[in-house]
Amino acid sequence: MSEECTHDCSTCSANCDSRKSDFAAEANANSHVKKVIGIVSGKGGVGKSMVASLMAVNMRRRAFETAILDADITGPSIPRAFGVCQQLSGTDDGIIPAESKTGVKLVSLNLLLENDTDPVVWRGPVIAGTVKQFWTDVMWGDVDFMFVDMPPGTGDVPLTVFQSLPVDGIIIVTSPQELVGMIVTKAVRMAEMMNIPVLGIVENMSYFQCDECGKKHEIFGASHVDEIAQEFSIDCVARLPINPKLAAACDKGMIELFEGNWLDALADKLEKL
């Protein structure tokens, strides 16, 4: 804490112990979450929700109890990827998360809406408060790895998650375009400001591999992710191809049936946390 501290965190950007204690949210009494991993991106449309889903499935296949907190309130897509559509229920003790076919626990605003196509026209503070309630009011039970699918950017929700939840690290999802380098840099620097470790970068849509000849084609141009990773001493832990079958699995709610070892190195890294 600075000697000039006024004890008014709303006027200060410092990430001191006082700020953390003011904003940290206590989990529901029926929640025992060991590791919280944020899945972030600087911009939309790079496959962040898909990576969050794949990682939850991957860790579940390794016999870990996994969960996804869908913090992308205005664009929730996690339930659709898992084929889960039943509405959430609860008791006096809290909200009961939904479960996928293989036992991945899910909480998303889409599971509270009457129709999953209803728009959520809320202002930032309300959205951030809802995300916080997904941590405090949901009875998550025993969870080894919780993945938080965050909305793109560095706004209210990522800030709320970083300050309120005990985030153990983040995974940044990006794509090969050169412009994305600037966006990723913003996400990395925000994590640094909040003292959150960056566990690695996942480059989605990195290439397309021809079924006939096996040659890899860089559809979106040459990758720049290694340059960014080297600049910030971060590992590029995975490169995901453009894979129509994987996209179809998400659309049909069958993400748990995916085949591919692209994220195995990242799963190995999480096991060592």
Side-chain angles (χ1 to χ4, degrees):
M1 182 184 302
S2 169
E3 294 180 358
E4 300 177 357
C5 180
T6 63
H7 302 284
D8 180 7
C9 292
S10 64
T11 64
C12 176
S13 61
N15 188 39
C16 62
D17 291 337
S18 177
R19 172 177 292 273
K20 290 180 180 178
S21 61
D22 284 343
F23 288 94
E26 187 173 346
N28 185 280
N30 296 290
S31 297
H32 309 284
V33 182
K34 295 179 181 178
K35 297 294 180 184
V36 178
I37 311 297
I39 311 296
V40 309
S41 65
K43 65 185 293 294
V46 297
K48 169 182 50 59
S49 297
M50 184 179 72
V51 171
S53 301
L54 291 174
M55 285 308 303
V57 173
N58 210 333
M59 300 309 290
R60 183 68 184 135
R61 289 178 178 176
R62 298 185 180 208
F64 291 103
E65 296 293 333
T66 62
I68 301 180
L69 189 161
D70 190 355
D72 196 351
I73 300 297
T74 59
S77 57
I78 294 297
R80 176 69 63 89
F82 284 86
V84 174
C85 56
Q86 74 267 24
Q87 288 199 322
L88 299 177
S89 60
T91 68
D92 291 340
D93 294 324
I95 300 170
I96 302 171
E99 284 198 21
S100 71
K101 297 177 182 67
T102 63
V104 177
K105 297 178 181 180
L106 310 172
V107 167
S108 171
L109 189 67
N110 256 15
L111 300 178
L112 293 169
L113 299 176
E114 185 174 350
N115 300 301
D116 63 5
T117 55
D118 290 343
V120 179
V121 189
W122 294 350
R123 295 191 182 277
V126 178
I127 293 174
T130 301
V131 171
K132 196 171 180 178
Q133 282 186 284
F134 284 170
W135 175 254
T136 60
D137 295 0
V138 174
M139 299 184 292
W140 290 102
D142 293 323
V143 173
D144 295 310
F145 290 96
M146 172 183 284
F147 297 94
V148 183
D149 181 21
M150 288 199 264
T154 55
D156 285 346
V157 171
L159 184 61
T160 296
V161 171
F162 287 166
Q163 291 183 327
S164 303
L165 275 61
V167 180
D168 294 281
I170 65 168
I171 298 165
I172 298 176
V173 183
T174 183
S175 58
Q177 295 97 322
E178 186 172 359
L179 174 64
V180 174
M182 177 186 69
I183 306 298
V184 171
T185 299
K186 289 179 181 289
V188 171
R189 287 179 174 163
M190 180 180 186
E192 289 178 344
M193 290 172 61
M194 305 303 297
N195 293 325
I196 304 293
V198 178
L199 302 177
I201 299 176
V202 173
E203 184 178 71
N204 189 29
M205 299 178 285
S206 183
Y207 59 90
F208 172 76
Q209 188 165 11
C210 178
D211 291 336
E212 295 183 1
C213 67
K215 183 177 180 180
K216 294 182 179 180
H217 302 272
E218 296 177 328
I219 304 297
F220 293 106
S223 171
H224 297 272
V225 69
D226 285 332
E227 301 168 15
I228 303 169
Q230 185 176 3
E231 179 182 354
F232 292 100
S233 299
I234 301 170
D235 294 331
C236 178
V237 289
R239 286 183 168 87
L240 272 64
I242 298 172
N243 190 318
K245 292 181 180 179
L246 190 55
C250 289
D251 292 339
K252 295 177 181 179
M254 298 188 294
I255 191 67
E256 290 165 297
L257 300 180
F258 91 94
E259 296 180 0
N261 60 358
W262 311 293
L263 294 169
D264 284 357
L266 179 56
D268 292 341
K269 190 168 186 175
L270 293 188
E271 281 198 55
K272 296 175 182 178
L273 285 179

